[in-house]
Amino acid sequence: MKSALELLPRLSTNRWFGALPVRERRSLLGAAELLRLRPGEMLFRQGDRVPAGKGAFYGLAAGRLKISSLREDGKEAILAVLEAGNWFGEISLIDQQPRTHDATAVAQAEVLAVPRAVFDDLMKRHVFSQAICRMLAARTRALYGMVEDATLRSTRTRVARRLLLLARGDATQAADARTTVPVSQEALAMMLGITRQTLSRELQALAGHGAISLGYRRIGVESAVLLERLGAGQ
């Protein structure tokens, strides 16, 4: 593979990374080590300790990762899907506490690992530390949204809202929704904490409204506007 710095144009299409000054972007990529993960291989596990001075800040260069944990019954709960361009892993570097969730490759993935020492030096730069604050603020908003969805909204509304998030890249949240949701129905049910049967019923209802279409191992977005309306409970 080419050097990490040669990934600069492609990774800069991510809104968070692209908003950093070129100096900071080059510092991250220039210090990064490339890790290759096989499908199903874990980058780190929930509870993994990050000793002082150790650990890394990660950037997903290619592929997809799922961020998940196990429920009390042993079943997996998928919290988010990370796509190429996203950066993560900063929480344990900031508070020196264990990793909060599992990070697992959904398919073959390439991850950039920026050493702790480089991350700490970058945090001394105001522009970078402010960018990390904005990243954490965005994630806090997303978490509040997930709590609201789980406690205040109907199952159908939750399904519509999650489909829209996934169409926009889930953690990426691109401005425009894609025409296909890149996750399986099994994974979507895990994200929502509902059974496959319940999900199938709700997807059929959304398809009946004309918001989505269902095909073999695919969910198509027919109308992002209609999906937004249904996600707002209208």
Side-chain angles (χ1 to χ4, degrees):
M1 180 180 171
K2 297 179 180 179
S3 70
L5 280 172
E6 293 182 79
L7 297 172
L8 181 62
R10 176 156 60 88
L11 292 179
S12 294
T13 59
N14 174 269
R15 289 195 296 176
W16 180 83
F17 187 68
L20 287 173
V22 174
R23 178 191 178 195
E24 276 64 34
R25 281 181 276 164
R26 286 185 171 275
S27 293
L28 281 172
L29 297 183
E33 175 189 359
L34 178 67
L35 307 176
R36 291 186 173 88
L37 302 179
R38 299 181 303 275
E41 187 174 358
M42 301 186 77
L43 178 63
F44 53 75
R45 294 179 180 273
Q46 183 178 27
D48 280 355
R49 298 200 62 80
V50 181
K54 303 294 184 180
F57 181 50
Y58 298 105
L60 186 55
R64 287 184 293 146
L65 296 178
K66 62 180 178 181
I67 305 301
S68 64
S69 60
L70 294 179
R71 300 182 344 197
E72 288 185 354
D73 59 7
K75 294 183 179 179
E76 185 180 32
I78 299 175
L79 303 178
V81 175
L82 302 182
E83 298 185 354
N86 280 282
W87 292 79
F88 59 99
E90 74 289 341
I91 294 176
S92 292
L93 301 188
I94 292 172
D95 66 9
Q96 299 185 37
Q97 297 299 307
R99 295 294 185 185
T100 56
H101 301 95
D102 297 340
T104 311
V106 176
Q108 187 170 342
E110 295 178 344
V111 179
L112 300 170
V114 178
R116 171 66 172 270
V118 175
F119 179 83
D120 288 346
D121 284 342
L122 283 168
M123 285 294 286
K124 296 173 184 177
R125 302 181 190 176
H126 178 77
V127 67
F128 184 79
S129 62
Q130 287 298 300
I132 291 294
C133 286
R134 287 192 294 271
M135 175 188 285
L136 291 172
R139 290 181 179 164
T140 300
R141 287 182 182 274
L143 287 172
Y144 277 130
M146 291 172 65
V147 172
E148 287 184 359
D149 285 353
T151 57
L152 303 177
R153 307 187 196 283
S154 70
T155 301
R156 187 163 304 169
T157 298
R158 290 173 58 207
V159 173
R161 289 168 64 86
R162 194 65 188 212
L163 285 173
L164 193 58
L165 284 174
L166 290 165
R168 289 177 172 160
D170 205 11
T172 305
Q173 282 308 284
D176 299 321
R178 292 170 294 192
T179 58
T180 302
V181 174
V183 298
S184 66
Q185 290 190 28
E186 181 180 9
L188 181 57
M190 289 180 183
M191 289 180 178
L192 294 164
I194 59 179
T195 65
R196 283 286 303 275
Q197 293 80 5
T198 297
L199 176 63
S200 178
R201 183 172 62 248
E202 299 300 344
L203 290 176
Q204 291 290 345
L206 293 175
H209 283 290
I212 64 172
S213 61
L214 301 174
Y216 179 68
R217 301 183 67 84
R218 67 174 294 278
I219 302 173
V221 178
E222 299 299 319
S223 172
V225 173
L226 184 53
L227 206 55
E228 284 186 2
R229 285 171 49 195
L230 293 167
Q234 300 177 11

